[in-house]
Amino acid sequence: IWFLFTYLSGKEFIARFIKIGWPIIIFDFLLFFSKLMGHSDFYNQYCQIYIYITILTLFYSYYFFYGKRRDLELILTILAIDIVIVIIRTIAALLQNPLLARAISTSYSVALSVLGTEKPRGIGGYGLCYELVILTPFIAYLFSRDNKKKAIKYAFLAMCAIFLFQAQITMAAIMFIAIYIVSQFFFSNQGKYAFLKRILIGILAIVIIIYSDNIISFIIPYAGSELGNRLGELRAVIQYGGSSTGDLATRFRLYKESLDAFASNPIWGSFGNKPFGNHSTLFDLLAAYGILGVIGYAGLLRPQLNATYVFRKKKMATVIVITIISYLMLSIVNISVGS
Protein backbone atom coordinates (compact mmCIF):
# COMPACT_ATOMS: atom_id res chain seq x y z
CA ILE A 1 0.00 0.00 0.00
CA TRP A 2 2.80 2.38 0.93
CA PHE A 3 4.63 1.55 -2.29
CA LEU A 4 1.54 2.19 -4.46
CA PHE A 5 0.79 5.43 -2.61
CA THR A 6 4.37 6.62 -3.18
CA TYR A 7 4.22 5.54 -6.82
CA LEU A 8 1.21 7.82 -7.33
CA SER A 9 3.24 10.74 -5.95
CA GLY A 10 5.52 10.77 -9.00
CA LYS A 11 7.37 8.59 -11.47
CA GLU A 12 10.63 10.38 -10.69
CA PHE A 13 10.81 8.54 -7.37
CA ILE A 14 10.34 5.13 -9.03
CA ALA A 15 13.15 5.92 -11.47
CA ARG A 16 15.42 6.86 -8.56
CA PHE A 17 14.50 3.70 -6.64
CA ILE A 18 15.36 1.52 -9.63
CA LYS A 19 18.62 3.42 -10.15
CA ILE A 20 19.67 2.93 -6.52
CA GLY A 21 18.08 -0.45 -5.83
CA TRP A 22 18.72 -2.37 -9.07
CA PRO A 23 21.30 -4.77 -7.50
CA ILE A 24 18.96 -5.87 -4.69
CA ILE A 25 16.00 -6.09 -7.12
CA ILE A 26 17.98 -8.37 -9.44
CA PHE A 27 19.13 -10.48 -6.49
CA ASP A 28 15.53 -10.84 -5.27
CA PHE A 29 14.58 -12.24 -8.69
CA LEU A 30 17.62 -14.54 -8.50
CA LEU A 31 16.42 -15.83 -5.12
CA PHE A 32 12.92 -16.56 -6.43
CA PHE A 33 14.27 -18.14 -9.63
CA SER A 34 16.54 -20.52 -7.70
CA LYS A 35 13.53 -21.43 -5.54
CA LEU A 36 11.50 -22.26 -8.67
CA MET A 37 14.39 -24.43 -9.87
CA GLY A 38 14.17 -26.45 -6.65
CA HIS A 39 17.27 -24.90 -5.05
CA SER A 40 15.64 -23.50 -1.93
CA ASP A 41 18.18 -23.67 0.93
CA PHE A 42 19.39 -20.06 0.69
CA TYR A 43 15.87 -18.83 -0.17
CA ASN A 44 14.33 -20.51 2.89
CA GLN A 45 16.92 -19.01 5.21
CA TYR A 46 17.33 -15.48 3.85
CA CYS A 47 14.42 -14.58 1.55
CA GLN A 48 12.56 -12.48 4.11
CA ILE A 49 15.61 -10.44 5.08
CA TYR A 50 16.52 -9.59 1.47
CA ILE A 51 12.95 -8.46 0.81
CA TYR A 52 13.21 -6.38 3.98
CA ILE A 53 16.46 -4.82 2.70
CA THR A 54 14.65 -4.02 -0.57
CA ILE A 55 11.96 -2.20 1.44
CA LEU A 56 14.67 -0.30 3.36
CA THR A 57 16.24 0.69 0.02
CA LEU A 58 12.80 1.91 -1.04
CA PHE A 59 12.51 4.00 2.12
CA TYR A 60 16.01 5.40 1.59
CA SER A 61 15.21 6.34 -2.01
CA TYR A 62 12.15 8.26 -0.87
CA TYR A 63 13.08 9.88 2.45
CA PHE A 64 16.68 10.74 1.58
CA PHE A 65 15.72 12.69 -1.53
CA TYR A 66 12.04 13.64 -1.10
CA GLY A 67 11.22 13.29 2.59
CA LYS A 68 10.77 16.20 4.98
CA ARG A 69 13.29 16.80 7.74
CA ARG A 70 10.67 16.39 10.46
CA ASP A 71 9.78 12.95 9.08
CA LEU A 72 13.43 11.89 9.17
CA GLU A 73 13.87 13.22 12.72
CA LEU A 74 10.76 11.33 13.84
CA ILE A 75 12.03 8.06 12.35
CA LEU A 76 15.49 8.50 13.97
CA THR A 77 13.97 9.48 17.33
CA ILE A 78 11.79 6.35 17.36
CA LEU A 79 14.83 4.23 16.43
CA ALA A 80 16.95 5.77 19.21
CA ILE A 81 14.22 5.33 21.85
CA ASP A 82 13.65 1.73 20.74
CA ILE A 83 17.38 0.91 20.99
CA VAL A 84 17.70 2.43 24.48
CA ILE A 85 14.62 0.61 25.80
CA VAL A 86 15.76 -2.75 24.39
CA ILE A 87 19.32 -2.30 25.74
CA ILE A 88 18.02 -1.54 29.26
CA ARG A 89 15.61 -4.50 29.17
CA THR A 90 18.35 -6.82 27.92
CA ILE A 91 20.90 -5.75 30.57
CA ALA A 92 18.27 -6.34 33.28
CA ALA A 93 17.42 -9.78 31.84
CA LEU A 94 21.10 -10.77 31.58
CA LEU A 95 21.75 -9.76 35.18
CA GLN A 96 18.81 -11.93 36.30
CA ASN A 97 19.77 -14.91 34.14
CA PRO A 98 23.40 -15.09 32.89
CA LEU A 99 22.50 -18.12 30.71
CA LEU A 100 20.77 -15.67 28.36
CA ALA A 101 24.24 -14.63 27.14
CA ARG A 102 24.54 -18.02 25.47
CA ALA A 103 20.92 -18.14 24.33
CA ILE A 104 20.83 -14.78 22.51
CA SER A 105 23.87 -15.57 20.35
CA THR A 106 22.82 -18.97 19.03
CA SER A 107 20.05 -20.73 17.13
CA TYR A 108 16.49 -21.11 18.40
CA SER A 109 16.87 -24.85 19.12
CA VAL A 110 20.13 -24.43 21.06
CA ALA A 111 18.69 -21.46 22.99
CA LEU A 112 15.67 -23.60 23.92
CA SER A 113 17.90 -26.39 25.23
CA VAL A 114 20.08 -23.93 27.21
CA LEU A 115 17.19 -22.08 28.87
CA GLY A 116 14.63 -24.87 29.00
CA THR A 117 12.08 -22.35 27.78
CA GLU A 118 11.71 -19.68 25.08
CA LYS A 119 13.77 -16.48 25.26
CA PRO A 120 12.01 -13.55 26.95
CA ARG A 121 10.33 -11.16 24.55
CA GLY A 122 11.45 -7.59 24.13
CA ILE A 123 15.18 -8.17 24.57
CA GLY A 124 18.01 -7.69 22.12
CA GLY A 125 20.61 -10.18 21.04
CA TYR A 126 23.13 -10.93 18.35
CA GLY A 127 21.53 -8.53 15.88
CA LEU A 128 21.32 -5.63 18.34
CA CYS A 129 25.02 -6.06 19.25
CA TYR A 130 26.08 -5.61 15.65
CA GLU A 131 23.51 -2.86 15.05
CA LEU A 132 25.36 -0.86 17.70
CA VAL A 133 28.66 -1.64 15.96
CA ILE A 134 27.35 -0.35 12.62
CA LEU A 135 25.85 2.77 14.26
CA THR A 136 29.10 3.60 16.13
CA PRO A 137 30.55 6.04 13.50
CA PHE A 138 27.26 7.99 13.40
CA ILE A 139 27.08 8.12 17.21
CA ALA A 140 30.68 9.36 17.40
CA TYR A 141 30.06 11.98 14.69
CA LEU A 142 26.84 13.35 16.20
CA PHE A 143 28.35 13.68 19.66
CA SER A 144 31.53 15.28 18.30
CA ARG A 145 29.46 18.16 16.90
CA ASP A 146 28.00 19.31 20.23
CA ASN A 147 30.11 19.50 23.39
CA LYS A 148 26.99 20.43 25.41
CA LYS A 149 25.77 16.83 25.26
CA LYS A 150 28.80 15.16 26.84
CA ALA A 151 26.77 13.67 29.71
CA ILE A 152 24.32 12.03 27.29
CA LYS A 153 27.21 10.85 25.12
CA TYR A 154 29.12 9.10 27.88
CA ALA A 155 25.96 7.69 29.48
CA PHE A 156 24.95 6.13 26.15
CA LEU A 157 28.44 4.78 25.44
CA ALA A 158 28.66 3.31 28.94
CA MET A 159 25.26 1.65 28.46
CA CYS A 160 26.37 0.15 25.11
CA ALA A 161 29.65 -1.09 26.63
CA ILE A 162 27.85 -2.71 29.59
CA PHE A 163 25.35 -4.34 27.23
CA LEU A 164 28.06 -5.79 24.96
CA PHE A 165 30.06 -7.00 27.98
CA GLN A 166 27.01 -8.64 29.53
CA ALA A 167 25.90 -10.14 26.20
CA GLN A 168 29.37 -11.75 25.88
CA ILE A 169 29.53 -11.44 22.09
CA THR A 170 33.28 -10.97 21.76
CA MET A 171 33.60 -9.82 18.16
CA ALA A 172 30.93 -7.14 18.58
CA ALA A 173 32.58 -5.77 21.73
CA ILE A 174 36.02 -5.61 20.09
CA MET A 175 34.67 -4.00 16.90
CA PHE A 176 32.62 -1.45 18.90
CA ILE A 177 35.73 -0.25 20.78
CA ALA A 178 37.97 -0.27 17.68
CA ILE A 179 35.49 1.60 15.45
CA TYR A 180 34.77 4.20 18.13
CA ILE A 181 38.50 4.94 18.55
CA VAL A 182 38.92 5.26 14.76
CA SER A 183 35.84 7.49 14.55
CA GLN A 184 37.10 9.76 17.32
CA PHE A 185 40.39 10.14 15.44
CA PHE A 186 38.58 11.47 12.34
CA PHE A 187 35.80 13.45 14.04
CA SER A 188 37.78 15.46 16.58
CA ASN A 189 36.47 19.01 16.61
CA GLN A 190 38.56 21.54 14.76
CA GLY A 191 40.50 23.75 17.11
CA LYS A 192 43.83 24.26 18.82
CA TYR A 193 43.53 20.94 20.70
CA ALA A 194 42.22 18.82 17.80
CA PHE A 195 45.69 17.79 16.60
CA LEU A 196 46.79 16.93 20.15
CA LYS A 197 43.63 14.87 20.64
CA ARG A 198 44.37 12.90 17.46
CA ILE A 199 47.90 12.19 18.69
CA LEU A 200 46.57 10.94 22.05
CA ILE A 201 43.98 8.72 20.31
CA GLY A 202 46.71 7.30 18.07
CA ILE A 203 48.93 6.58 21.10
CA LEU A 204 45.97 4.93 22.86
CA ALA A 205 45.37 2.66 19.86
CA ILE A 206 49.05 1.65 19.73
CA VAL A 207 49.10 0.94 23.48
CA ILE A 208 45.98 -1.25 23.19
CA ILE A 209 47.58 -3.23 20.36
CA ILE A 210 50.93 -3.66 22.14
CA TYR A 211 49.42 -4.61 25.50
CA SER A 212 46.41 -6.52 24.15
CA ASP A 213 47.54 -9.70 25.95
CA ASN A 214 47.69 -7.91 29.33
CA ILE A 215 44.36 -6.17 28.73
CA ILE A 216 42.65 -9.46 27.85
CA SER A 217 44.19 -11.14 30.93
CA PHE A 218 42.81 -8.33 33.12
CA ILE A 219 39.28 -8.59 31.64
CA ILE A 220 38.90 -12.41 31.71
CA PRO A 221 38.26 -12.76 35.50
CA TYR A 222 35.39 -10.25 35.28
CA ALA A 223 33.83 -11.70 32.12
CA GLY A 224 31.13 -14.35 31.96
CA SER A 225 31.93 -17.92 31.01
CA GLU A 226 31.24 -17.51 27.27
CA LEU A 227 33.17 -14.26 26.88
CA GLY A 228 35.92 -15.49 29.20
CA ASN A 229 36.45 -18.68 27.19
CA ARG A 230 36.59 -16.79 23.89
CA LEU A 231 38.94 -14.14 25.24
CA GLY A 232 41.16 -16.90 26.64
CA GLU A 233 41.23 -18.55 23.23
CA LEU A 234 42.01 -15.21 21.55
CA ARG A 235 44.82 -14.62 24.07
CA ALA A 236 46.31 -18.04 23.28
CA VAL A 237 46.26 -17.28 19.55
CA ILE A 238 47.95 -13.89 20.15
CA GLN A 239 50.59 -15.43 22.42
CA TYR A 240 51.44 -18.59 20.53
CA GLY A 241 49.98 -18.12 17.06
CA GLY A 242 48.94 -21.17 15.07
CA SER A 243 45.54 -22.79 15.02
CA SER A 244 42.76 -22.83 17.57
CA THR A 245 40.61 -25.68 18.79
CA GLY A 246 37.59 -23.66 19.97
CA ASP A 247 35.28 -21.07 18.47
CA LEU A 248 37.92 -19.65 16.12
CA ALA A 249 38.62 -23.10 14.69
CA THR A 250 34.89 -23.57 14.05
CA ARG A 251 34.76 -20.21 12.28
CA PHE A 252 37.64 -21.08 9.96
CA ARG A 253 36.11 -24.48 9.20
CA LEU A 254 32.81 -22.82 8.19
CA TYR A 255 34.63 -20.19 6.11
CA LYS A 256 36.49 -22.99 4.31
CA GLU A 257 33.22 -24.83 3.68
CA SER A 258 31.77 -21.79 1.89
CA LEU A 259 34.98 -21.00 -0.02
CA ASP A 260 35.34 -24.63 -1.15
CA ALA A 261 31.77 -24.55 -2.49
CA PHE A 262 32.57 -21.31 -4.35
CA ALA A 263 35.79 -22.75 -5.78
CA SER A 264 33.92 -25.78 -7.14
CA ASN A 265 31.67 -23.52 -9.25
CA PRO A 266 32.77 -19.85 -9.29
CA ILE A 267 30.11 -18.66 -11.76
CA TRP A 268 26.86 -19.53 -9.95
CA GLY A 269 27.99 -21.63 -6.96
CA SER A 270 25.41 -24.17 -5.86
CA PHE A 271 22.68 -21.81 -7.15
CA GLY A 272 20.92 -21.42 -3.85
CA ASN A 273 21.58 -24.81 -2.27
CA LYS A 274 23.94 -25.83 0.49
CA PRO A 275 26.77 -26.20 1.38
CA PHE A 276 27.43 -22.75 2.78
CA GLY A 277 28.91 -22.22 6.22
CA ASN A 278 26.39 -19.77 7.73
CA HIS A 279 29.14 -17.73 9.36
CA SER A 280 30.05 -15.09 6.74
CA THR A 281 27.59 -13.13 4.62
CA LEU A 282 30.11 -12.57 1.81
CA PHE A 283 31.42 -16.15 1.73
CA ASP A 284 27.89 -17.59 1.94
CA LEU A 285 26.75 -15.49 -1.04
CA LEU A 286 29.76 -16.67 -3.04
CA ALA A 287 29.06 -20.31 -2.08
CA ALA A 288 25.35 -20.14 -2.88
CA TYR A 289 25.45 -18.00 -6.05
CA GLY A 290 29.11 -17.68 -7.08
CA ILE A 291 30.03 -14.43 -8.81
CA LEU A 292 26.30 -13.75 -9.18
CA GLY A 293 26.18 -13.46 -5.39
CA VAL A 294 28.22 -10.28 -5.63
CA ILE A 295 25.02 -8.65 -6.99
CA GLY A 296 23.33 -9.34 -3.66
CA TYR A 297 26.34 -8.00 -1.78
CA ALA A 298 26.29 -4.84 -3.91
CA GLY A 299 22.59 -4.50 -3.11
CA LEU A 300 23.39 -4.38 0.60
CA LEU A 301 25.90 -1.55 0.12
CA ARG A 302 24.32 0.44 -2.73
CA PRO A 303 22.37 2.99 -0.60
CA GLN A 304 25.46 3.72 1.54
CA LEU A 305 27.63 4.18 -1.55
CA ASN A 306 25.00 6.49 -3.03
CA ALA A 307 24.88 8.55 0.18
CA THR A 308 28.69 8.80 0.17
CA TYR A 309 28.53 10.35 -3.30
CA VAL A 310 25.79 12.79 -2.26
CA PHE A 311 27.84 13.93 0.77
CA ARG A 312 31.19 13.75 -1.05
CA LYS A 313 32.22 17.29 -0.05
CA LYS A 314 31.09 17.01 3.59
CA LYS A 315 32.40 15.26 6.70
CA MET A 316 29.35 12.97 6.65
CA ALA A 317 30.99 11.17 3.70
CA THR A 318 33.79 10.09 6.06
CA VAL A 319 31.18 8.81 8.54
CA ILE A 320 29.54 6.66 5.86
CA VAL A 321 32.88 5.38 4.49
CA ILE A 322 33.88 4.21 8.01
CA THR A 323 30.45 2.57 8.30
CA ILE A 324 30.89 0.78 4.97
CA ILE A 325 34.36 -0.46 6.01
CA SER A 326 32.89 -1.63 9.33
CA TYR A 327 30.13 -3.47 7.49
CA LEU A 328 32.63 -5.07 5.10
CA MET A 329 34.66 -6.35 8.06
CA LEU A 330 31.54 -7.65 9.80
CA SER A 331 30.11 -9.34 6.70
CA ILE A 332 33.40 -11.20 6.10
CA VAL A 333 33.87 -12.54 9.63
CA ASN A 334 30.20 -12.96 10.55
CA ILE A 335 26.59 -13.06 9.36
CA SER A 336 25.54 -9.44 8.80
CA VAL A 337 21.99 -10.12 7.54
CA GLY A 338 19.20 -12.23 8.96
CA SER A 339 19.93 -11.51 12.63
Side-chain angles (χ1 to χ4, degrees):
I1 293 171
W2 182 89
F3 181 83
L4 291 174
F5 177 77
T6 307
Y7 174 77
L8 294 174
S9 69
K11 294 181 179 179
E12 183 183 353
F13 159 68
I14 299 301
R16 187 178 293 278
F17 167 59
I18 293 173
K19 181 179 178 181
I20 294 173
W22 66 265
I24 200 70
I25 295 170
I26 292 175
F27 189 72
D28 287 340
F29 279 110
L30 191 62
L31 275 174
F32 283 105
F33 184 65
S34 64
K35 168 74 171 178
L36 291 174
M37 296 292 290
H39 296 212
S40 57
D41 291 338
F42 199 89
Y43 173 92
N44 291 339
Q45 191 160 344
Y46 292 114
C47 176
Q48 286 185 327
I49 190 64
Y50 278 95
I51 291 175
Y52 182 64
I53 290 167
T54 307
I55 294 171
L56 289 178
T57 305
L58 188 73
F59 269 71
Y60 167 82
S61 303
Y62 178 74
Y63 280 106
F64 193 78
F65 295 97
Y66 306 103
K68 296 179 180 178
R69 184 178 181 85
R70 64 169 183 245
D71 296 335
L72 290 169
E73 289 178 348
L74 177 62
I75 292 170
L76 292 174
T77 301
I78 292 171
L79 174 64
I81 292 171
D82 179 62
I83 289 174
V84 170
I85 291 173
V86 174
I87 287 176
I88 293 172
R89 285 176 60 90
T90 308
I91 292 174
L94 286 165
L95 290 173
Q96 290 179 351
N97 185 2
L99 287 176
L100 270 176
R102 171 63 177 155
I104 64 178
S105 62
T106 188
S107 65
Y108 174 80
S109 58
V110 175
L112 197 60
S113 66
V114 169
L115 295 176
T117 182
E118 291 191 353
K119 288 184 289 186
R121 295 185 179 274
I123 66 169
Y126 181 89
L128 178 59
C129 289
Y130 284 108
E131 181 181 4
L132 293 176
V133 170
I134 296 301
L135 287 174
T136 301
F138 291 94
I139 295 168
Y141 173 68
L142 290 173
F143 284 134
S144 72
R145 297 174 63 197
D146 192 347
N147 289 325
K148 297 178 182 178
K149 297 179 180 178
K150 281 188 176 181
I152 298 174
K153 168 185 175 180
Y154 291 116
F156 183 77
L157 289 173
M159 184 172 59
C160 291
I162 292 169
F163 166 66
L164 291 170
F165 189 77
Q166 290 291 333
Q168 302 184 44
I169 299 181
T170 320
M171 187 67 70
I174 293 172
M175 287 185 68
F176 179 81
I177 295 169
I179 294 170
Y180 186 76
I181 291 173
V182 170
S183 300
Q184 283 295 319
F185 181 84
F186 283 101
F187 306 147
S188 297
N189 289 323
Q190 298 298 321
K192 57 182 179 180
Y193 298 114
F195 181 70
L196 178 61
K197 184 178 179 181
R198 286 191 174 96
I199 292 176
L200 292 175
I201 291 171
I203 293 172
L204 174 63
I206 293 170
V207 168
I208 290 174
I209 293 170
I210 294 174
Y211 292 99
S212 57
D213 178 56
N214 302 74
I215 294 170
I216 292 171
S217 300
F218 175 78
I219 295 173
I220 287 175
Y222 303 97
S225 58
E226 288 292 323
L227 181 59
N229 290 338
R230 292 185 178 186
L231 287 174
E233 185 184 354
L234 178 62
R235 180 170 175 262
V237 171
I238 292 172
Q239 278 186 322
Y240 308 112
S243 60
S244 163
T245 57
D247 180 66
L248 291 177
T250 303
R251 284 177 180 271
F252 288 125
R253 178 178 59 79
L254 295 172
Y255 297 157
K256 186 176 184 301
E257 184 179 333
S258 291
L259 291 173
D260 286 346
F262 169 62
S264 65
N265 195 335
I267 305 300
W268 55 75
S270 57
F271 202 63
N273 266 350
K274 290 186 176 180
F276 46 87
N278 278 327
H279 226 305
S280 166
T281 291
L282 176 59
F283 296 162
D284 288 353
L285 281 168
L286 291 174
Y289 292 102
I291 295 299
L292 295 176
V294 176
I295 299 174
Y297 198 64
L300 299 174
L301 296 173
R302 179 76 173 118
Q304 296 94 307
L305 292 170
N306 177 261
T308 305
Y309 176 76
V310 173
F311 285 120
R312 60 191 179 278
K313 295 183 180 179
K314 300 180 181 179
K315 186 176 281 190
M316 180 57 74
T318 306
V319 181
I320 303 171
V321 167
I322 295 174
T323 305
I324 292 172
I325 294 171
S326 305
Y327 186 83
L328 290 171
M329 292 166 52
L330 170 60
S331 62
I332 290 171
V333 301
N334 235 321
I335 294 292
S336 58
V337 297
S339 57

